[in-house]
Amino acid sequence: SAEEAVPTRKWQSHFAPGVNQELKNVYYAPAEDLTLRGEPCRIIHHILDELPVSVRKTLRVAMSPVLQDARLRKEVYARPAGKEQENLLSLHGIENWERVKARIRAAFLEACRRAADILIFPEMLGDKAIFSESSYSAFFSELAREAEEEGLPAPYLVVGPTWWHDHHNQLYVLRGSGDYICVMEKQFSYEHREDGQNYREDIRPGAPEIHIIHSPGLGRIAFPICADLLYEDMRDLLIRTLHCNFMICPSFSRGKTLFTRICGEGVSHGITVVWLNSCSAVQEPPDYVGVLETPGQNVCLCPECEGQCGADSGACLFLSDLDLDSGTFGDVRHIRPLEAVDSA
């Protein structure tokens, strides 16, 4: 007798012409499609060990907005641009860096206590104090040792807070041990409005370069940095050309509506998107500070603290388990600073 057909969900990528429909674990991309900002783009692949989820089939994702009151040192200025002038913005560190660093530390250790597999931080809140080494972060390495002494596992993957320096906005992706997997440059500037004027983020990235992490059990992971996600060229490269199925976007933005809408655009391609902002980017406590987007699911990260961040030693952390079979996130829990201190 004929076997009953099993329905298979088809994504938009399944209907694209080409040899990719016949390949597994490899894919073909025409060289002329590997461009960004009008230039050839170098693609660097990183293959990681299998995620430790073979038995439970879930991935615990921890996301930390860090705190409400990080104060960036901003410099605004004008530069000639043809017959006109262009308003620009540069950053020179964080005024209350020790408080920010303490909160990053608390979030890491709390993620270890909660057995998180991936820990994500927002954009802009990094510093040379934690990312100055060439191949590893002594700061995160020390935290990993501290967790090990408590008998706690470090996360499988850490998406660090980006470090803005010397006209570069860099994202460090690390193993839980503190070793760097890759360092990526933000490719597209954001527009900052201050005192009735618009200022463009004065980043000066080199030749376009994109890092993709391949992880058995999770897929191809990409890391657009804040405004990168808003540019169609970047989304087309990551989704249509490189066939990434998991995107993590750290952000530091006063806006959120456009990010939320664009996160949903990947649904037809079967993509999971995590967008995380920082409460410090907005003037008032936000109604939500991040989005988890999967096909058929849109989950907002809603702070329950009303902007009351608590002590430096407190951790602000959102937790959700991603079911790798169904591709959906479970309930989101907000670990508030006072709760984290009390439970530590």
Side-chain angles (χ1 to χ4, degrees):
S1 61
E3 294 184 2
E4 183 178 353
V6 178
T8 303
R9 193 170 193 175
K10 296 290 186 182
W11 304 114
Q12 187 167 324
S13 57
H14 289 115
F15 302 101
V19 71
N20 283 310
Q21 307 312 315
E22 309 300 327
L23 299 176
K24 184 177 182 181
N25 297 329
V26 207
Y27 57 92
Y28 163 79
E32 60 268 22
D33 290 349
L34 301 178
T35 61
L36 196 63
R37 304 192 335 253
E39 302 178 46
C41 181
R42 182 186 180 198
I43 311 298
I44 302 174
H45 300 275
H46 307 267
I47 300 175
L48 300 191
D49 299 332
E50 188 168 358
L51 277 166
V53 293
S54 57
V55 177
R56 50 190 170 93
K57 295 294 183 182
T58 59
L59 181 80
R60 177 158 293 176
V61 181
M63 300 144 283
S64 177
V66 185
L67 78 171
Q68 170 74 35
D69 60 349
R71 298 189 298 276
L72 306 183
R73 292 193 181 100
K74 302 174 185 176
E75 177 191 4
V76 294
Y77 48 94
R79 187 173 64 189
K83 296 181 180 180
E84 300 181 352
Q85 286 192 328
E86 183 180 23
N87 293 330
L88 297 171
L89 166 75
S90 287
L91 300 181
H92 303 281
I94 302 171
E95 291 181 10
N96 53 340
W97 165 244
E98 289 302 320
R99 173 164 165 76
V100 172
K101 183 173 74 169
R103 296 298 292 256
I104 293 172
R105 176 184 180 278
F108 182 96
L109 294 175
E110 191 63 30
C112 295
R113 297 185 187 104
R114 308 284 176 168
D117 298 301
I118 296 180
L119 172 60
I120 304 169
F121 290 101
E123 186 191 21
M124 300 293 196
L125 299 185
D127 187 86
K128 64 180 180 181
I130 60 176
F131 290 132
S132 59
E133 296 82 12
S134 60
S135 63
Y136 75 103
S137 165
F139 173 79
F140 282 106
S141 180
E142 180 59 34
L143 290 180
R145 283 193 292 270
E146 189 173 336
E148 185 179 10
E149 290 173 359
E150 293 185 35
L152 302 172
Y156 170 81
L157 199 67
V158 177
V159 181
T162 71
W163 173 26
W164 209 109
H165 65 101
D166 303 314
H167 300 288
H168 297 278
N169 190 347
Q170 295 180 314
L171 173 65
Y172 289 71
V173 182
L174 314 90
R175 296 181 184 273
S177 62
D179 293 332
Y180 299 152
I181 298 171
C182 58
V183 181
M184 280 174 291
E185 291 264 0
K186 187 178 183 178
Q187 299 295 317
F188 295 96
S189 300
Y190 81 100
E191 295 291 333
H192 172 75
R193 188 165 182 82
E194 186 170 301
D195 298 329
Q197 296 286 327
N198 289 326
Y199 296 88
R200 183 180 65 82
E201 179 186 13
D202 192 7
I203 56 172
R204 305 173 191 177
E209 188 175 276
I210 295 294
H211 293 258
I212 304 295
I213 289 179
H214 300 255
S215 174
L218 189 55
R220 299 171 186 145
I221 314 172
F223 304 88
I225 303 170
C226 197
D228 288 348
L229 188 65
L230 304 182
Y231 284 81
E232 188 174 0
D233 285 355
M234 175 67 86
R235 299 197 302 275
D236 281 350
L237 177 62
L238 296 179
I239 298 173
R240 299 178 185 275
T241 303
L242 298 177
H243 302 283
C244 297
N245 65 307
F246 199 110
M247 294 200 298
I248 297 173
C249 179
S251 186
F252 192 95
S253 174
R254 291 181 180 177
K256 59 193 177 190
T257 303
L258 186 56
F259 283 101
T260 303
R261 180 179 64 77
I262 287 176
C263 285
E265 290 185 2
V267 167
S268 65
H269 293 268
I271 292 175
T272 297
V273 183
V274 177
W275 174 71
L276 177 66
N277 200 14
S278 172
C279 299
S280 296
V282 295
Q283 295 176 335
E284 300 293 335
D287 52 351
Y288 66 94
V289 74
V291 172
L292 308 176
E293 185 86 40
T294 69
Q297 186 183 39
N298 178 284
V299 180
C300 292
L301 307 181
C302 302
E304 300 172 358
C305 56
E306 298 181 350
Q308 302 301 314
C309 278
D312 291 359
S313 58
C316 178
L317 207 64
F318 289 88
L319 292 171
S320 183
D321 291 343
L322 175 64
D323 187 308
L324 297 179
D325 287 331
S326 67
T328 58
F329 283 98
D331 293 339
V332 175
R333 182 179 178 189
H334 183 199
I335 309 301
R336 290 171 290 178
L338 293 179
E339 178 185 352
V341 172
D342 292 341
S343 64

